Amino acid sequence: MTHTITRWEMRAADEPLAETEVAIENPREGEVLVEVAGCGVCHTDLGFYYDGVRTRHPLPLTLGHEISGRVIATGTGAEQWQDAAVIVPAVMPCGECDVCRRGMGNICARQLMPGNDMHGGFASHIVVPAHGLCRVDEQRLAATGLALADLSVIADAVTTPYQSAAQLDIQAGDLAIVVGVGGVGGYAVQIASAMGAKVVAIDVVQDKLEGLQGYGADLILNSRDISGRDLKKVVKTFAKDNGLRQTEWKIFECSGTAPGQVTAYGLLTFGARLAVVGFTMDKVEVRLSNLMAFHASAVGNWGCLPEYYPSALGLVLDGKVSMKPFIRQYPLSQINAVFTAVHAQEISKRPILVP
Ligand SMILES: [Zn+2]
Ligand SMILES: [Zn+2]
């Protein structure tokens, strides 16, 4: 059987994304055809479109890697996914190679990222491998008041900081600091709080900071007003006042900017752990030996292992991580206008494009 599907393709950097219809065959062995419910717009998409970051698959390519939807056709061996509501992981490791078998699918050389290695989610449908899909319990979903489309953003914006939090080993009683509280950082704040940490949120945009009050931020600091040593002093005082340690702070750098990275690095304490979550091409000058002097560590994570998706989804379904105030749906047909507005920073909530 053939399915006719609609995609919005990037053909060249200076051309609007263009709608195309393509006919695709039934999914092959181990694959499923997902009817897209929604696809989140991420800064990585804008990087491909506006900043000349190259996609691994040549153009034309459909962007979009934050996808939720419903399985409407299955290949052999994937029949158990028929009709399932799913989140498609933004990074899908092969699951079979040496690094995958040793639990390091983030660096799998055969991994697939929709909208980078293959056509992505700014489309009516997408064909993906079934292994690694995250099944959504629709009864629990209905109880949250969220739609399946809303969950698209979990693939990346929620799960990437979730794996960062796992790598930082966030525990009850920790002091967590999140630098840059936009789309991804806001969820880092909520996740760290849900895991029992007291959370300091730092940004240069006051509105973003204030939007997180009541959503996990115990202290908000605008690094335009206070920076460097003064910033560290304020956090130390906050720790003291709240009976938290002066050591082993858990720091998330989510701004993906050079100044944000300098701020995050400047907050290292003895035994601190720094997670580099945001991405920038810019370089920073830091004294790397501080890691040695502080017995500290810095770690990164490329996307999130599919194994973490059910726990990250669980935080959302349990109401421990709120999404509604931070997302907004738009029709997929408005993709060009939405890209323009996000690029111009006229949209602060993460847009979800709905076919
Ligand atoms: Zn992304
Ligand atoms: Zn692999």
Side-chain angles (χ1 to χ4, degrees):
M1 188 184 161
T2 359
H3 307 262
T4 306
I5 72 171
T6 304
R7 288 173 177 154
W8 285 81
E9 288 180 346
M10 173 177 173
R11 292 177 177 163
D14 50 359
E15 266 183 49
L17 301 161
E19 187 177 22
T20 43
E21 271 196 358
V22 283
I24 56 162
E25 299 302 316
N26 255 344
R28 292 171 300 185
E29 185 178 351
E31 289 181 344
V32 297
L33 176 65
V34 175
E35 182 181 43
V36 175
C39 184
V41 178
C42 173
H43 281 276
T44 306
D45 298 312
L46 301 190
F48 291 139
Y49 189 61
Y50 289 104
D51 303 334
V53 179
R54 290 182 64 140
T55 54
R56 289 189 292 240
H57 182 291
L59 301 179
L61 181 69
T62 315
L63 302 176
H65 54 269
E66 295 187 344
I67 305 162
S68 59
R70 186 174 304 282
V71 174
I72 60 159
T74 59
T76 346
E79 295 85 356
Q80 73 272 26
W81 291 96
Q82 183 66 41
D83 300 327
V86 294
I87 300 169
V88 179
V91 172
M92 296 178 283
C94 80
E96 291 167 353
C97 71
D98 174 54
V99 294
C100 280
R101 277 190 273 111
R102 288 184 293 121
M104 295 188 290
N106 302 78
I107 58 167
C108 170
R110 285 159 54 195
Q111 65 177 239
L112 291 174
M113 178 174 164
N116 188 5
D117 297 295
M118 56 187 278
H119 286 286
F122 299 136
S124 62
H125 299 75
I126 183 173
V127 176
V128 292
H131 72 84
L133 285 176
C134 177
R135 195 182 286 266
V136 177
D137 180 332
E138 292 186 85
Q139 277 191 333
R140 286 179 74 196
L141 176 63
T144 64
L146 290 165
L148 181 56
D150 297 332
L151 299 187
S152 58
V153 168
I154 289 178
D156 201 19
V158 176
T159 50
T160 298
Y162 186 90
Q163 179 160 356
S164 307
Q167 292 186 165
L168 293 181
D169 190 25
I170 301 279
Q171 303 284 339
D174 276 346
L175 172 61
I177 304 168
V178 181
V179 179
V181 292
V184 170
Y187 291 115
V189 169
Q190 292 200 68
I191 290 164
S193 175
M195 291 177 167
K198 281 260 187 281
V199 185
V200 178
I202 300 174
D203 205 297
V204 291
V205 181
Q206 193 65 21
D207 285 353
K208 284 192 201 167
L209 288 167
E210 286 171 9
L212 284 166
Q213 285 177 321
Y215 294 100
D218 296 291
L219 174 68
I220 58 170
L221 295 171
N222 191 322
S223 52
R224 276 203 204 287
D225 305 332
I226 176 165
S227 60
R229 281 167 195 266
D230 292 336
L231 191 67
K232 195 167 182 177
K233 263 191 213 158
V234 173
V235 180
K236 278 185 173 174
T237 306
F238 172 79
K240 191 165 168 244
D241 293 347
N242 286 276
L244 305 168
R245 295 181 198 98
Q246 297 291 343
T247 59
E248 300 149 79
W249 293 354
K250 311 275 175 80
I251 306 162
F252 297 77
E253 200 313 290
C254 298
S255 76
T257 67
Q261 291 181 340
V262 170
T263 296
Y265 198 80
L267 290 165
L268 287 178
T269 54
F270 289 103
R273 294 192 195 184
L274 166 65
V276 180
V277 191
F279 179 82
T280 173
M281 289 291 283
D282 295 341
K283 295 175 182 175
V284 292
E285 192 174 290
V286 295
R287 188 189 298 122
L288 202 58
S289 294
N290 283 5
L291 291 176
M292 171 270 191
F294 281 127
H295 189 72
S297 56
V299 293
N301 57 289
W302 173 253
C304 174
L305 289 173
E307 290 88 322
Y308 286 116
Y309 273 64
S311 322
L313 170 62
L315 290 180
V316 173
L317 296 181
D318 286 342
K320 290 179 178 162
V321 168
S322 300
M323 300 187 69
K324 262 268 144 59
F326 307 104
I327 53 175
R328 188 168 159 197
Q329 295 189 9
Y330 297 83
L332 177 57
S333 56
Q334 290 179 12
I335 186 168
N336 283 299
V338 169
F339 266 50
T340 305
V342 177
H343 190 234
Q345 297 184 339
E346 289 163 5
I347 295 181
S348 56
K349 296 184 179 190
R350 202 174 191 80
I352 294 170
L353 296 174
V354 176

